[in-house]
Amino acid sequence: MHIGRNFMLAGLVFFMQAIPTAALAEGTPATPVEKAKVVSRLYQATYGAQLRCGASPEWATHGKTLERFRSTYPELIQLVDSSPYLPAAKESFQGFLLANPPSKVSEKNLTLECESLESILRSLIDGPGAREAVAGYVQLLKS
């Protein structure tokens, strides 16, 4: 499996199981590390996907999913956009892009990577428990 795909799929795994919603429900504030991870993963799945996949044939579909995600969760996008952790997320992703430029990735692997990124967003829009999970991300970023 290509390193880029591993990196992106790690984000999917993070979204599906790593948010401590029980701790948030008990009123425990999120740690800076937890907030930074959420911002980083959301950046990867949104802005990073646009940078990584914008030139791929899949972008037409992914771009629509990305716009749907943004319109479904404007508060979450605003929290990411205004987060003090966003510059570090951007820098980290730029490092990833420099080490793994799309031009050096096979079309097949880039397609798989972009499909994985789109899957993250679709899961957060339409998946079971998606709204609750996103509400947890919002609460985490506000804490």
Side-chain angles (χ1 to χ4, degrees):
M1 187 178 291
H2 185 267
I3 189 164
R5 188 160 181 245
N6 285 338
F7 182 77
M8 297 304 162
L9 290 178
L12 177 60
V13 171
F14 171 80
F15 274 125
M16 299 322 247
Q17 41 183 248
I19 296 298
T21 53
L24 289 173
E26 296 170 10
T28 305
T31 67
V33 170
E34 290 170 326
K35 289 180 181 185
K37 282 184 181 180
V38 169
V39 169
S40 178
R41 297 305 189 236
L42 285 169
Y43 182 83
Q44 288 173 24
T46 57
Y47 300 107
Q50 191 169 1
L51 291 170
R52 185 81 170 157
C53 303
S56 76
E58 288 71 38
W59 181 249
T61 303
H62 187 84
K64 289 176 187 172
T65 303
L66 178 57
E67 286 308 311
R68 204 169 134 230
F69 180 80
R70 286 179 176 152
S71 67
T72 302
Y73 302 117
E75 182 179 23
L76 180 62
I77 295 298
Q78 186 278 325
L79 287 167
V80 170
D81 288 347
S82 64
S83 172
Y85 304 104
L86 184 59
K90 287 179 178 181
E91 186 177 321
S92 175
F93 196 80
Q94 284 300 323
F96 168 75
L97 286 178
L98 287 173
N100 302 283
S103 61
K104 302 265 183 185
V105 178
S106 74
E107 186 175 326
K108 178 183 176 184
N109 284 337
L110 187 59
T111 297
L112 291 171
E113 191 176 316
C114 294
E115 287 172 352
S116 296
L117 288 165
E118 185 173 359
S119 177
I120 291 168
L121 295 182
R122 277 196 318 265
S123 294
L124 288 170
I125 297 168
D126 300 322
R131 297 222 180 246
E132 294 81 5
V134 170
Y137 306 147
V138 167
Q139 186 176 354
L140 184 142
L141 292 175
K142 285 182 167 182
S143 67

